Amino acid sequence: MATAAVHTPVKSHSNIFSTRHAGGRVPLTPSPRTRASANHSPFTPPPPPSRRDPEWHADKKKYPNAPRGSLHDTFASLSLSSSKRPSNRSSPSSTKSNIAAPSASPLRLDLGVNEWSLTGSGHPTPLKKARSARPTKTAIRINGDRFIPTRGASSPTAAMKADHSRPGSSSRSSSQDSVLNDDVFGRDSNTQSSGEDSEDYTSRKSPKSKAYEASIAEAVGLNLGTRILAFKPAPPESSKPIDLRAQYNRPLKNTTSAQTRRRILTAPERVLDAPGLFDDYYLNLLDWGSGNQVAIGLERNVYVWNADTGAVSSLLETSPDTYVSSVRWSQDGAYVSVGLGSGDVQIWDVEEGTKLRTMTGHDTRVGVMSWNKATLSTGSRSGNIFNHDVRIAEHKTAELLSHTSEVCGLEWRADGAQLASGGNDNLVNIWDARNITAPKFSKTNHKAAVKALAWCPWQNNLLASGGGSFDKQIHFWNTTTGARVNSVDAGSQVTALKWSTNYREIVSCHGAPDNQLTVWSYPSLVKNVEIPAHETRVLHAALSPDGQMLATAASDESLKFWKLFEKKTGSAASGSRSGDSGKGGMAKQMTIR
């Protein structure tokens, strides 16, 4: 009577007893040394069923068309009934062993034929003679990384896509993975699915732990039934095409924080009355000289206010048939030029209080003037611009004819190389001092009269111009190339522009509807402050010689002084004009006849 061989159990890495070999490796081919060796190891695994066994013939009948050595043949061997195996091992004539017999797995995959035999504590099992022919082996090819058998476990995105793209494939793929994992790579009793782990963990938690987690979730506003990290669907595409050029060519945003932004006073330092100030946009009736004196024209009179002493004096009074249409200090601060409604231009010595000369030539009012050393440029209502040399009797040296309407803006560059003019014809003309027969550039971007003109003190070829009520734009020009380098919408009528000599900023004065002062950073054009200045539109503005104070006059008949550009501690005055030394040095060089 044949006795069943007792298998010696080996402890696997999963802390259970199994019928695997020591080390968890299954030999695919028999070793020649083992066949010749008579000393068999007690840990020798049992021999697989021979092809002459009846079980193999039963499977062969069940799957007659399966090719020999194919994967189908291998999986067919797994369908052996579990009832036959325990009956063979539980023979009553088997010798008892002092080691408990392991429970046989219902599924068993033999990857190769070998001639190993298992020796136990019972009767020795005779070895079968090795066959002369080389046993056939079944090769199983698994597509994928050998270190990552299941890519779905390591790639949550791929797993989610697979679940959503093929609803019916999840069960099929999971069943195939389970067969491969359990039978090809071995079953591990300690591993469980993530859902089972979470359920076991939840069931093992104590009531105190559950209560604590619930209180924490309620405190932070977290729903325990949802996942904290989850993949969201892609955002919907925009119906409008995205213009990358407009997206990335916008001006840089202001990165200055509130702590580092300088503080600007929004209340005036001083307020003076200015009765009789004409409410006329095209006139220029306010100027601040390099001698720290302010001249203002009120109807037929010109008054001078000394900012150092606070004294006010009346400089002149015109005849009843005319009025004061413009005033302008010379660069040395010694003389004041006065434009009249009759077209005449007068030059006055402020210190002596006397009129030095009267220059004629215009047949309409002179609304704007600008000095360049001994040359005085005047613009009239007829659109003509004349250059006067105040040192000679025949004063008119040039006529600049381009504007077709009243000239209301006129400004020489600091070095005297260029002259900018603006008029009621919405034009900005840039004249070259070496050739004044025609403007070098003529700009038509403004849609209203251009009165506000200002040259940048730290960049000679940068000009700022502001438009009237129907334009409300501030443009910045490169007068070397004629290109517009920047623009900003001021939101209201621009009446005056003044650059700061202490900061990279520019202040704009406005009329309706807001009547405000706005300080802009340049070149970012960010509003640093906006100050409601007057009850009515601001008509005129002038900057102090040190560049700290701004004087504004409005039709509400008030003259206000604003400390907008206070110097930094320890900085020297850089905004004074070239005539800070008084009239002594310049008066000797310029003799007015």
Side-chain angles (χ1 to χ4, degrees):
M1 182 176 181
T3 58
V6 179
H7 298 182
T8 303
V10 178
K11 189 175 183 181
S12 67
H13 64 282
S14 57
N15 299 327
I16 63 172
F17 290 102
S18 66
T19 58
R20 287 187 177 187
H21 304 296
R25 294 186 298 271
V26 178
L28 299 180
T29 58
S31 175
R33 298 180 182 179
T34 309
R35 296 192 191 103
S37 176
N39 185 15
H40 302 287
S41 173
F43 298 98
T44 303
S50 174
R51 296 197 176 184
R52 297 177 179 147
D53 292 345
E55 293 179 354
W56 186 86
H57 290 288
D59 295 335
K60 192 67 176 180
K61 293 178 182 179
K62 188 181 298 184
Y63 304 95
N65 298 327
R68 183 175 183 181
S70 65
L71 184 62
H72 189 278
D73 191 7
T74 303
F75 280 100
S77 63
L78 302 179
S79 61
L80 302 178
S81 61
S82 59
S83 60
K84 296 180 181 180
R85 298 179 184 272
S87 61
N88 294 338
R89 289 191 178 90
S90 59
S91 177
S93 59
S94 60
T95 307
K96 293 184 180 181
S97 174
N98 56 352
I99 302 177
S103 61
S105 174
L107 297 179
R108 184 170 179 178
L109 179 63
D110 296 329
L111 298 180
V113 179
N114 57 68
E115 301 298 334
W116 295 80
S117 63
L118 180 64
T119 303
S121 57
H123 298 283
T125 303
L127 289 175
K128 295 183 180 180
K129 187 176 181 180
R131 297 177 60 181
S132 60
R134 185 174 180 181
T136 59
K137 293 177 288 185
T138 301
I140 300 176
R141 184 181 300 275
I142 299 174
N143 295 326
D145 198 331
R146 51 184 161 178
F147 299 107
I148 308 177
T150 306
R151 290 186 177 271
S154 61
S155 178
T157 306
M160 291 181 64
K161 290 181 178 179
D163 293 341
H164 289 288
S165 60
R166 298 189 303 271
S169 62
S170 59
S171 60
R172 181 171 59 255
S173 60
S174 61
S175 61
Q176 294 178 359
D177 292 342
S178 62
V179 171
L180 291 178
N181 292 337
D182 296 342
D183 300 318
V184 178
F185 300 103
R187 178 185 296 272
D188 192 352
S189 61
N190 287 344
T191 58
Q192 294 180 352
S193 63
S194 58
E196 295 176 355
D197 291 343
S198 59
E199 293 176 0
D200 294 344
Y201 174 74
T202 306
S203 60
R204 289 196 302 267
K205 288 191 298 186
S206 63
K208 292 184 178 180
S209 300
K210 293 180 180 179
Y212 177 74
E213 290 184 2
S215 61
I216 294 297
E218 184 180 359
V220 300
L222 180 65
N223 186 6
L224 292 179
T226 60
R227 297 178 59 185
I228 298 177
L229 300 178
F231 292 95
K232 295 183 178 180
E237 296 183 358
S238 176
S239 58
K240 299 180 180 180
I242 300 174
D243 188 1
L244 296 180
R245 182 176 298 178
Q247 185 77 12
Y248 291 101
N249 285 354
R250 292 181 297 179
L252 297 177
K253 295 183 179 179
N254 183 28
T255 56
T256 306
S257 60
Q259 290 80 5
T260 59
R261 187 179 301 169
R262 69 184 188 90
R263 181 173 175 268
I264 300 176
L265 298 177
T266 58
E269 290 279 321
R270 187 188 295 266
V271 180
L272 300 177
D273 290 333
L277 183 67
F278 286 141
D279 186 9
D280 194 332
Y281 173 80
Y282 301 98
L283 303 183
N284 292 271
L285 301 174
L286 180 66
D287 194 28
W288 200 327
S290 59
N292 205 17
Q293 298 182 95
V294 178
I296 185 171
L298 302 175
E299 294 182 344
R300 296 165 46 203
N301 300 285
V302 174
Y303 294 93
V304 177
W305 177 73
N306 192 318
D308 294 330
T309 61
V312 180
S313 61
S314 176
L315 182 62
L316 64 96
E317 184 178 357
T318 67
S319 60
D321 60 345
T322 188
Y323 59 91
V324 177
S325 57
S326 59
V327 295
R328 192 65 183 263
W329 285 94
S330 62
Q331 290 177 327
D332 61 353
Y335 309 104
V336 170
S337 60
V338 180
L340 302 178
S342 60
D344 295 338
V345 178
Q346 298 178 356
I347 299 178
W348 288 73
D349 187 335
V350 178
E351 187 176 2
E352 300 294 335
T354 59
K355 182 176 70 173
L356 299 181
R357 67 179 302 175
T358 300
M359 298 181 294
T360 60
H362 293 288
D363 54 358
T364 56
R365 69 179 183 184
V366 178
V368 63
M369 297 179 291
S370 181
W371 285 86
N372 178 28
K373 297 180 181 179
T375 300
L376 176 65
S377 298
T378 59
S380 67
R381 195 170 195 171
S382 61
N384 298 330
I385 300 174
F386 293 164
N387 283 349
H388 307 272
D389 191 341
V390 299
R391 299 170 297 182
I392 58 178
E394 297 296 331
H395 53 82
K396 188 169 72 171
T397 59
E399 292 184 5
L400 287 70
L401 305 177
S402 177
H403 290 280
T404 58
S405 186
E406 182 171 9
V407 180
C408 52
L410 199 62
E411 198 72 34
W412 276 99
R413 204 166 83 172
D415 58 358
Q418 289 179 329
L419 174 67
S421 62
N424 195 26
D425 53 2
N426 309 340
L427 291 180
V428 176
N429 289 333
I430 301 171
W431 306 81
D432 193 335
R434 297 167 294 182
N435 184 11
I436 57 176
T437 58
K440 183 180 180 180
F441 302 107
S442 184
K443 300 300 178 181
T444 61
N445 298 74
H446 289 286
K447 307 303 179 185
V450 181
K451 176 186 178 183
L453 294 171
W455 291 93
C456 181
W458 65 82
Q459 184 178 343
N460 284 337
N461 65 342
L462 181 60
L463 174 68
S465 61
S469 300
F470 294 99
D471 183 64
K472 304 176 183 179
Q473 301 289 322
I474 303 176
H475 296 313
F476 298 86
W477 311 94
N478 185 328
T479 59
T480 302
T481 62
R484 184 178 60 174
V485 296
N486 223 328
S487 295
V488 65
D489 186 359
S492 57
Q493 180 188 43
V494 183
T495 58
L497 291 170
K498 297 296 177 182
W499 289 94
S500 172
T501 56
N502 302 324
Y503 302 92
R504 296 296 178 95
E505 297 173 349
I506 186 173
V507 58
S508 58
C509 305
H510 300 277
D514 297 327
N515 311 321
Q516 82 277 16
L517 304 178
T518 305
V519 179
W520 310 82
S521 293
Y522 191 84
S524 63
L525 295 180
V526 174
K527 284 185 183 181
N528 289 344
V529 68
E530 190 172 78
I531 305 172
H534 291 267
E535 296 178 359
T536 59
R537 63 176 178 176
V538 181
L539 292 173
H540 317 290
L543 197 63
S544 63
D546 60 359
Q548 297 189 81
M549 199 81 67
L550 180 73
T552 58
S555 57
D556 58 0
E557 298 184 347
S558 64
L559 178 63
K560 296 183 179 181
F561 297 86
W562 311 85
K563 199 166 188 177
L564 300 179
F565 307 112
E566 187 175 2
K567 290 181 185 178
K568 299 175 183 179
T569 306
S571 63
S574 59
S576 60
R577 300 183 183 178
S578 59
D580 272 343
S581 58
K583 79 172 185 177
M586 193 66 183
K588 295 179 181 179
Q589 299 176 8
M590 185 176 64
T591 303
I592 300 178
R593 297 182 184 274

